[in-house]
Amino acid sequence: MAPSQASHVPTLDSLIKAFNNQLLEASIESLIFLLKRRQVKGDECAKATAHILRQVVAKSKWHDVDQLLSRVQSAGSRVARAAPQEPVIGNVVRRVLGLIRDEASEDRNADDYGSEAASDIQSLAPSAPLPQRPPPVPVRPSPSVIAGGGLQVSKSMFNLLSVADTDSPMTGASTPLSQAQPASVHALRSEVMDGIEEILDEINQADDQIAGFSEIQIHPGDYVLAYQPSRTVERFLVKAASKRRFTVIIAGLESPTHGATEAPYAALRKKLNGAGVKTINLASNGLMAYIPRVNKVIFSAKAVYQNGGLLVDSGCCIAAQAAHEYLKPVIVLSPVYKFCPEDPSDEVSRGELGNPSGYVSYANGPAVDALDIENTVTDYIPPELIDVYLTNLGPQTRHHLASILADHYKTEDIGFNLHLGES
Amino acid sequence: MSKQGGKGGAAGKAKKPAKPGADEKREDVLQAVILADSFQDRFRPFTLETPRCLLPLVNVPVIEYTLEFLASNGVQEVFIYCGAHSEDIEHYIHESSRWSPGSAISPFTSLEFIRVSDAHSIGDFLRDLDKRSIISGDFVLVHGDLVSNIQLDAALAKHRARREANRDACMTVVLRSVGEEPHRAAKARGITPVFVVDPTTGRCLQYDETHPLQSEHYVHLDPAVFSHGSFEVRTDLVDCGIDICTPDVLALWSESFDYELPRKNFLHGVLKDWELNGKMLYAEILDDGYAARASNLQMYDCISQDVLERWTLPFAPDSNLLHGQTYRRVKDGSYVEDSVVAERGAKVLQSAVGRGTTIKAGSAISGSIVGRRCRIGKNVRIENSYIWDDTVIGDGTTVVHSVLGGSVVVGANCRVPEGSLISYNVHIDSDVQLPSKPPARISALTDDKHPVKPDVALVGKGGKGAMYEVVHDEDESDDEDGDNRDPAILQSSLIYSLEGFNLSTSSISTLASDDGYDSDDDVSMAGSLQAGEFGQARERLSSFTSDDASKPDNGFHTDAVNGLVDALRADDSDDFDSAKLEFMGLRLANNASDSAMRRAIAVAFVRRAAELLTPAQGALEPSKAAGETFTAKKGAVKFVREVGVGGDEVAQQAEFALAMQKALLGVRDLEAARAGALLAALLQQLYSLDVLEEDGILAWWADKRAAEGESMNALKEKCRVLVEWLENADEEGSSEEEDDEDEDEDSD
């Protein structure tokens, strides 16, 4: 037996391991093709993007902030284009770009506060691309300060203040920053890399942080409907189970795959039962019958758009609609890094198409020939159906999403997706 | 032979370990071999200019799918065997930023081309590979036209486990089941692979191929199959040509120098001879995932549709596999690249359209793939067609289920009916209606790659190109071999059709119960059937080989008869032994039954004897001719006695006599009277040579079959004298027999 050679199939972990022996370009390409081949998907994307951008910052050649920004932008847009179905990638790129701008301006401010601050103010992009952005409220204590994202939040607050006064028509590329001292490149590099580490930490801890709010959201005796529980939802429920006695109804079971020996979500159910929480597996068509009995519906989002709409795994929309009709609260678990400063595109609302074999076996010849099978694997949920967005910074409502976006993304970078068309 | 290593650092990284001690470490490196030439011409005339693996499949060269498949399975070292157009393939790979061996972004640590100058088959490639000893462990063997999203991990792990358990488990064939119901992937293939598999272990027991042009729709099961507890006979599998091999497989190829095809020759042969080689081969049958080979135009068609319908995910157009592609999914199930201009009123349904293509108003494209920079005029209708880059289609033209190669120009108001194949750079003038039966196959080049003289009648006055005639090796004029036509003919067109072929009507029936085995029929199969326990298999074996003398295997019969007659005719040698050896070899190779042999021998000798009667050969008397036939060559008599008659039993002797009688009927240019005389002479000669005994001849005389029909009866009557004489001789005692030869002549 050769147990050591478990797998040849490349994964994100094997990619990250290989970073050190690889040229930067090779790493980026490997990731791009992992994304194209769907070997990295879903929640892994954010982590992968942060890792690859860290490599870009560490390995690519740059002499000033501008070059660094363009390196990150070009690498980021290549990665984002490889997987247009994963908007999270763009978010992380924007976060990193904002981080670099912050670090750069911090450096300059330290060097020569007065003169640089003036140019900084002029250079920053106009508020035009984001009309629905709320007027910057100066003294709103950002939740992220509490959650430990403090470093960049303070910077972004500064910028928000500055932006308010400017009406410069200049966009994104921020020319004045190019005056940053080459001598500080080294320092900047390490600071940016530290910053990316923090973003990675945030990504890694987000699930736990969200789970921290579970006992507030779930009350004893609740009937909680979890639609296709993701890892985030699982953590949330397990954490709640340690404090509360309630009942979980697991809905949206996928059709059993070939050779599956275990009942769906067996591991989750075992954990919950161990903690004394009852679980019920519910076939999809039984959903409506149970909705009146349910106290709240919980699922996780793949992305949250700035209008409050959600990109979710297919099927969630039915659960959300049903809950809405019965006036049951719908709670969406979504870490802040999944919040996109953009509106859903036409393609998002049509949903991504998956492999038709989910519905019809390829072996079923007549059906393969006769049918056009569209297996949508994502849904778009309009914002009206959602009651609470539970982020790692705490529960939010739709009306506060804009300020979260403003706290985390720079206006210069919000148009990041516009660069996607270029090559 | 030339071997091209990778240039630059990537190849350097993958230094081959010189010592076996390094093997341990290299176990982790997965190697793959791509066979980029299949030595077939099913894509003619397109492959005159472009190798098959560079033909665009949904606007991506086919080999990209194969390489991506290997990369997604973590393959690190790739060897590509190229045959025809090897420069083109090498050029393509070297130019590709992703795969070029020197490229930093290649997912493979090494990618090498191996050219074999004198290769004429895949077998030659693999024997060459064995000589090079660059394969260190398990490797994946694929063809350059594979489209698959299968993850091989499970199959690889199983393969390793089996290999660890038993060194002789040397190969795993990865197959995809497509069900028993008609399926486009199954329909497209023409040749149906038949796998006999042990369902518990996955061991492959026998492999055969059937195709609709066979005279018999039967597969002969190897007796050894029955020594396994249970087995499944499966015809519902798509063989995608993915093999997981150990280096032992290459050694097997080397041992059998005449194997050419990895399935028909190698797999079949190795399984058949497993008692000799002791190797065990396994089949991994998958129920999910996608795998198919674009091995002919029908499969090309089928896979293209599957890609559009996303069965092949992640290989869908909007994955933008190829560098620089920018497909997006738009409404109506279509995929469109950047800068595609579809005017208002142009409809694009379930199609993929490449960059820079313009589609004018009123045109409708459905179920088709359109390449880059095409210009499609007004009111054009394109259905289920494949239009490659830079093609121009004039206003009002209709294209249905056809392939239009690159840079084709089709004028206005043309009709391109179903199944048309129009190769690169062909121009078709306006208002031309291409023929629909048979569909046109137009090329601008001849087989030797010279420009053709335009066929004005076909492509119009301003046109370029002429009908491309597909050359088949088969010899249609030979009626006897008509049943064994090459099934490749089924695969050379875009549309699978059996029209125009005389199909044998022997029925395919499904085995209902064990009782079926007791009937005189061969085992027939449709779909997959589970055979039960075979405790008494041995006793039933005889029923598995066809004993129907009226329809012996044609290939064996003609070969054997010709061989024997030639040997009898030969003037230079008196020895019959080599002919005998050859005959026995043929018999083993074809697994011919006793009756088939008997018939072949009877026909051969009768034909020779009849020949001697003709003036050209000296117009001998029948008795002289008979004597000459049997005694001219040393060993011939012994051969007839031992092989032809095959024993001392009366029944066998009667059978041989009957076979001779039938054979005489088949001899042309022989009057009935002379034929009868010859038969009598032959029988008498054999009697005197102790080949046939009196009882045998009398048994023949009494046999009803010998008197069936007028002509048979006429022949038989001529022998009455001989028989009566024999009966008398019996009464008189057998001691005088040998002296009475002369008397027999009087009976003519």
Side-chain angles (χ1 to χ4, degrees):
Chain A
M1 284 293 165
S4 64
Q5 329 158 345
S7 167
H8 287 290
V9 172
T11 59
L12 180 59
D13 291 338
S14 67
L15 175 67
I16 291 170
K17 248 184 239 164
F19 274 161
N20 289 331
N21 325 322
Q22 251 177 343
L23 294 176
L24 174 64
E25 193 58 17
S27 305
I28 296 176
E29 280 295 316
S30 312
L31 176 62
I32 284 176
F33 276 87
L34 283 177
L35 288 166
K36 283 189 178 180
R37 295 192 300 246
R38 316 288 207 273
Q39 284 174 331
V40 169
K41 60 180 176 186
D43 290 348
E44 277 182 328
C45 290
K47 215 166 109 186
T49 313
H51 273 292
I52 203 76
L53 292 180
R54 190 167 174 274
Q55 293 296 309
V56 172
V57 173
K59 285 190 180 164
S60 67
K61 298 230 181 337
W62 48 276
H63 304 294
D64 53 39
V65 180
D66 248 9
Q67 282 181 351
L68 176 61
L69 284 172
S70 74
R71 296 270 184 286
V72 170
Q73 256 170 355
S74 77
S77 71
R78 281 169 61 196
V79 174
R81 250 181 298 149
Q85 71 278 11
E86 305 281 2
V88 172
I89 296 172
N91 293 349
V92 176
V93 177
R94 289 185 189 105
R95 288 282 292 272
V96 172
L97 287 171
L99 170 76
I100 295 168
R101 290 181 209 279
D102 284 339
E103 297 295 348
S105 67
E106 191 180 56
D107 280 358
R108 254 192 327 276
N109 293 346
D111 287 350
D112 180 0
Y113 184 81
S115 67
E116 291 295 333
S119 75
D120 203 20
I121 286 166
Q122 279 169 7
S123 72
L124 285 169
S127 51
L130 188 60
Q132 57 278 80
R133 212 173 51 119
V137 187
V139 235
R140 189 180 160 274
S142 163
S144 62
V145 177
I146 313 158
L151 178 71
Q152 82 228 29
V153 170
S154 59
K155 296 295 132 14
S156 62
M157 291 309 289
F158 171 74
N159 283 330
L160 285 171
L161 286 170
S162 328
V163 171
D165 308 290
T166 59
D167 231 340
S168 155
M170 292 190 64
T171 49
S174 63
T175 12
L177 294 186
S178 61
Q179 290 155 9
Q181 299 302 308
S184 67
V185 162
H186 199 71
L188 184 58
R189 194 191 297 262
S190 66
E191 277 171 40
V192 172
M193 286 177 64
D194 287 348
I196 296 178
E197 278 302 322
E198 278 172 35
I199 294 178
L200 267 173
D201 286 347
E202 183 196 324
I203 293 170
N204 288 333
Q205 294 164 7
D207 283 355
D208 284 336
Q209 288 174 337
I210 290 175
F213 297 104
S214 60
E215 51 185 306
I216 308 173
Q217 297 295 330
I218 293 181
H219 306 291
D222 268 358
Y223 280 77
V224 177
L225 184 115
Y227 197 88
Q228 289 182 350
S230 65
R231 231 181 36 227
T232 310
V233 176
E234 287 190 12
R235 289 232 185 130
F236 183 81
L237 293 174
V238 170
K239 178 87 188 215
S242 64
K243 297 273 168 65
R244 303 261 189 260
R245 291 289 167 269
F246 57 102
T247 306
V248 176
I249 299 169
I250 301 175
L253 307 178
E254 284 166 15
S255 54
T257 46
H258 266 292
T261 47
E262 288 194 318
Y265 303 114
L268 171 65
R269 296 182 63 186
K270 206 169 168 190
K271 272 189 217 161
L272 289 175
N273 292 339
V277 169
K278 275 181 268 175
T279 57
I280 300 167
N281 264 10
L282 195 59
S284 285
N285 49 10
L287 184 69
M288 297 305 166
Y290 271 79
I291 285 287
R293 185 73 193 82
V294 162
N295 295 93
K296 53 198 57 156
V297 174
I298 291 182
F299 50 82
S300 68
K302 279 168 79 80
V304 180
Y305 292 97
Q306 66 180 9
N307 65 351
L310 296 182
L311 181 66
V312 289
D313 290 332
S314 68
C316 290
C317 195
I318 295 176
Q321 261 170 339
H324 189 71
E325 291 299 318
Y326 282 89
L327 300 176
K328 307 288 180 186
V330 177
I331 301 173
V332 175
L333 308 189
S334 169
V336 165
Y337 69 84
K338 288 186 177 176
F339 282 59
C340 306
E342 52 187 291
D343 279 321
S345 67
D346 190 28
E347 279 144 62
V348 171
S349 56
R350 265 186 282 130
E352 188 201 343
L353 284 192
N355 196 324
S357 60
Y359 289 105
V360 172
S361 162
Y362 191 68
N364 186 351
V368 172
D369 285 344
L371 300 177
D372 284 333
I373 307 142
E374 288 203 351
N375 175 12
T376 46
V377 293
T378 60
D379 268 354
Y380 172 72
I381 302 186
E384 307 84 78
L385 303 182
I386 309 301
D387 297 286
V388 178
Y389 300 83
L390 184 53
T391 72
N392 47 337
L393 307 179
Q396 304 282 347
T397 61
R398 179 158 82 245
H399 310 289
H400 293 98
L401 294 182
S403 64
I404 292 186
L405 291 174
D407 285 347
H408 285 85
Y409 304 108
K410 299 260 185 251
T411 41
E412 296 97 312
D413 302 323
I414 282 173
F416 169 72
N417 261 359
L418 300 179
H419 303 292
L420 291 188
E422 301 161 18
S423 183
Chain B
M1 283 186 212
S2 81
K3 180 177 164 183
Q4 257 194 316
K7 47 180 178 188
K13 266 192 246 164
K15 285 249 158 44
K16 302 283 169 302
K19 306 226 160 56
D23 274 0
E24 203 87 355
K25 200 177 124 258
R26 287 180 47 82
E27 281 281 286
D28 287 344
V29 175
L30 190 58
Q31 294 177 309
V33 177
I34 299 178
L35 304 168
D37 191 340
S38 52
F39 301 96
Q40 291 165 336
D41 49 9
R42 288 172 191 172
F43 277 95
R44 292 283 176 100
F46 301 107
T47 44
L48 286 177
E49 290 184 45
T50 314
R52 181 200 283 189
C53 59
L54 294 186
L55 296 179
L57 184 93
V58 194
N59 297 337
V60 177
V62 176
I63 198 164
E64 291 276 342
Y65 293 93
T66 312
L67 290 168
E68 202 61 56
F69 164 73
L70 295 178
S72 75
N73 277 294
V75 168
Q76 297 204 358
E77 293 181 7
V78 176
F79 302 96
I80 301 182
Y81 269 94
C82 298
H85 300 288
S86 55
E87 298 83 8
D88 290 350
I89 300 173
E90 285 174 30
H91 181 75
Y92 176 82
I93 296 289
H94 283 297
E95 288 301 301
S96 149
S97 60
R98 177 154 162 75
W99 307 112
S100 161
S103 160
I105 61 172
S106 167
F108 306 128
T109 52
S110 86
L111 183 147
E112 285 181 28
F113 286 98
I114 303 174
R115 290 192 203 175
V116 185
S117 59
D118 56 350
H120 300 292
S121 71
I122 289 169
D124 292 340
F125 280 163
L126 293 167
R127 283 183 281 275
D128 174 74
L129 185 62
D130 188 39
K131 276 183 235 149
R132 288 179 196 270
S133 58
I134 43 181
I135 296 295
S136 53
D138 290 348
F139 67 101
V140 182
L141 179 67
V142 296
H143 292 268
D145 49 13
L146 173 74
V147 179
S148 173
N149 60 8
I150 288 173
Q151 295 292 293
L152 288 177
D153 260 11
L156 272 170
K158 279 190 197 167
H159 173 79
R160 289 213 180 89
R162 282 194 291 258
R163 175 173 52 84
E164 297 291 331
N166 184 349
R167 294 301 301 183
D168 290 330
C170 65
M171 179 162 143
T172 302
V173 181
V174 180
L175 305 165
R176 170 75 167 94
S177 78
V178 293
E180 293 169 40
E181 293 186 77
H183 191 282
R184 61 182 176 212
K187 266 193 287 184
R189 58 199 170 182
I191 297 172
T192 307
V194 181
F195 285 88
V196 182
V197 181
D198 183 338
T200 48
T201 61
R203 189 169 152 206
C204 202
L205 302 173
Q206 191 186 344
Y207 174 81
D208 263 302
E209 287 176 359
T210 64
H211 58 83
L213 302 184
Q214 276 172 322
S215 51
E216 294 178 13
H217 296 278
Y218 301 129
V219 169
H220 297 260
L221 285 183
D222 190 330
V225 164
F226 296 93
S227 55
H228 295 269
S230 62
F231 61 88
E232 282 177 355
V233 182
R234 300 193 61 162
T235 58
D236 61 332
L237 303 169
V238 163
D239 180 2
C240 38
I242 307 173
D243 295 340
I244 302 167
C245 308
T246 59
D248 286 357
V249 170
L250 298 175
L252 277 178
W253 276 97
S254 288
E255 280 166 24
S256 3
F257 57 90
D258 55 341
Y259 286 169
E260 292 189 345
L261 302 171
R263 290 289 181 265
K264 196 177 177 183
N265 299 147
F266 179 77
L267 190 57
H268 177 84
V270 169
L271 289 174
K272 201 167 140 197
D273 299 337
W274 86 274
E275 278 167 348
L276 289 179
N277 55 41
K279 298 293 182 196
M280 292 196 278
L281 282 64
Y282 289 83
E284 176 76 16
I285 298 171
L286 302 170
D287 291 326
D288 51 3
Y290 185 90
R293 277 182 63 198
S295 53
N296 56 50
L297 280 163
Q298 294 144 26
M299 281 309 285
Y300 174 88
D301 186 16
C302 167
I303 295 173
S304 298
Q305 296 300 325
D306 288 341
V307 171
L308 276 186
E309 293 178 19
R310 301 176 83 88
W311 291 100
T312 51
L313 213 71
F315 301 127
D318 58 348
S319 294
N320 293 319
L321 215 55
L322 199 60
H323 187 73
Q325 276 188 328
T326 54
Y327 280 98
R328 282 175 301 121
R329 191 164 63 87
V330 294
K331 279 177 192 151
D332 302 325
S334 291
Y335 302 91
V336 170
E337 227 180 335
D338 287 353
S339 4
V340 168
V341 182
E343 285 184 4
R344 199 178 333 168
K347 282 185 200 139
V348 181
L349 282 169
Q350 290 174 337
S351 301
V353 183
R355 178 180 303 157
T357 290
T358 56
I359 304 166
K360 293 248 171 72
S363 293
I365 300 179
S366 62
S368 302
I369 315 280
V370 181
R372 289 182 167 179
R373 300 175 300 276
C374 294
R375 291 209 311 272
I376 293 168
K378 287 179 192 165
N379 300 318
V380 172
R381 195 161 62 88
I382 300 175
E383 288 174 9
N384 304 326
S385 296
Y386 304 94
I387 293 167
W388 299 349
D389 295 351
D390 299 303
T391 289
V392 177
I393 298 179
D395 296 350
T397 292
T398 302
V399 180
V400 183
H401 205 172
S402 299
V403 180
L404 273 63
S407 305
V408 169
V409 177
V410 181
N413 302 316
C414 294
R415 217 177 82 77
V416 182
E418 269 191 281
S420 304
L421 306 174
I422 302 178
S423 184
Y424 295 92
N425 300 315
V426 168
H427 287 212
I428 293 177
D429 207 10
S430 294
D431 304 307
V432 169
Q433 312 273 318
L434 291 180
S436 56
K437 275 191 186 164
R441 188 184 287 253
I442 306 174
S443 169
L445 292 180
T446 59
D447 266 339
D448 8 334
K449 315 210 168 133
H450 296 303
V452 292
K453 198 171 144 280
D455 180 351
V456 179
L458 183 69
V459 297
K461 269 186 198 145
K464 225 167 79 180
M467 202 64 145
Y468 177 83
E469 301 294 345
V470 185
V471 186
H472 288 295
D473 293 337
E474 61 175 326
D475 198 25
E476 289 280 9
S477 60
D478 191 349
D479 280 347
E480 265 192 317
D481 283 346
D483 283 341
N484 294 326
R485 280 164 298 187
D486 184 1
I489 194 170
L490 289 177
Q491 300 182 334
S492 63
S493 64
L494 180 60
I495 297 165
Y496 177 79
S497 163
L498 291 174
E499 222 175 294
F501 294 112
N502 292 320
L503 297 187
S504 151
T505 49
S506 78
S507 67
I508 301 181
S509 62
T510 310
L511 224 56
S513 68
D514 273 5
D515 295 344
Y517 288 93
D518 291 323
S519 76
D520 208 16
D521 270 353
D522 299 330
V523 176
S524 57
M525 58 202 66
S528 141
L529 48 97
Q530 169 94 42
E533 297 293 321
F534 286 91
Q536 309 163 350
R538 288 279 160 202
E539 286 82 351
R540 291 175 181 171
L541 287 183
S542 60
S543 63
F544 282 86
T545 44
S546 171
D547 254 286
D548 189 352
S550 68
K551 200 170 68 177
D553 189 337
N554 278 332
F556 165 75
H557 183 74
T558 38
D559 288 357
V561 169
N562 290 338
L564 288 176
V565 171
D566 284 349
L568 289 170
R569 274 183 203 148
D571 294 326
D572 47 346
S573 129
D574 281 348
D575 202 3
F576 198 71
D577 284 351
S578 57
K580 180 178 173 185
L581 209 63
E582 189 189 334
F583 180 86
M584 295 313 279
L586 258 178
R587 181 231 162 154
L588 288 175
N590 288 283
N591 196 15
S593 63
D594 285 352
S595 67
M597 285 198 309
R598 189 173 295 137
R599 180 161 171 269
I601 294 167
V603 169
F605 278 88
V606 164
R607 207 178 269 180
R608 172 62 183 161
E611 223 171 52
L612 289 172
L613 295 182
T614 60
Q617 296 279 339
L620 298 181
E621 284 296 304
S623 61
K624 287 266 170 57
E628 171 78 12
T629 305
F630 289 111
T631 53
K633 298 279 183 278
K634 234 192 290 173
V637 175
K638 188 160 170 260
F639 174 71
V640 173
R641 183 183 303 136
E642 287 174 0
V643 185
V645 180
D648 297 332
E649 288 175 34
V650 171
Q652 284 164 329
Q653 294 181 11
E655 284 291 337
F656 188 72
L658 186 68
M660 285 208 301
Q661 187 190 3
K662 280 184 181 162
L664 265 172
L665 273 183
V667 177
R668 269 166 274 176
D669 308 328
L670 191 63
E671 314 145 31
R674 276 176 85 76
L678 185 59
L679 178 62
L682 285 168
L683 288 174
Q684 201 263 334
Q685 188 70 31
L686 287 174
Y687 174 75
S688 62
L689 288 169
D690 280 347
V691 176
L692 295 183
E693 288 166 14
E694 195 181 309
D695 289 345
I697 295 177
L698 292 178
W700 163 72
W701 185 253
D703 196 323
K704 273 188 212 135
R705 283 176 295 169
E708 275 171 5
E710 218 170 277
S711 44
M712 287 286 272
N713 216 3
L715 280 182
K716 187 182 168 190
E717 280 308 311
K718 283 284 179 185
C719 303
R720 180 174 294 280
V721 185
L722 171 72
V723 173
E724 278 169 4
W725 171 79
L726 277 174
E727 279 167 346
N728 294 334
D730 192 28
E731 284 161 19
E732 286 167 20
S734 54
S735 60
E736 294 170 38
E737 287 165 7
E738 288 175 19
D739 307 327
D740 291 341
E741 281 180 37
D742 291 339
E743 282 181 34
D744 192 49
E745 279 189 43
D746 303 336
S747 68
D748 283 354

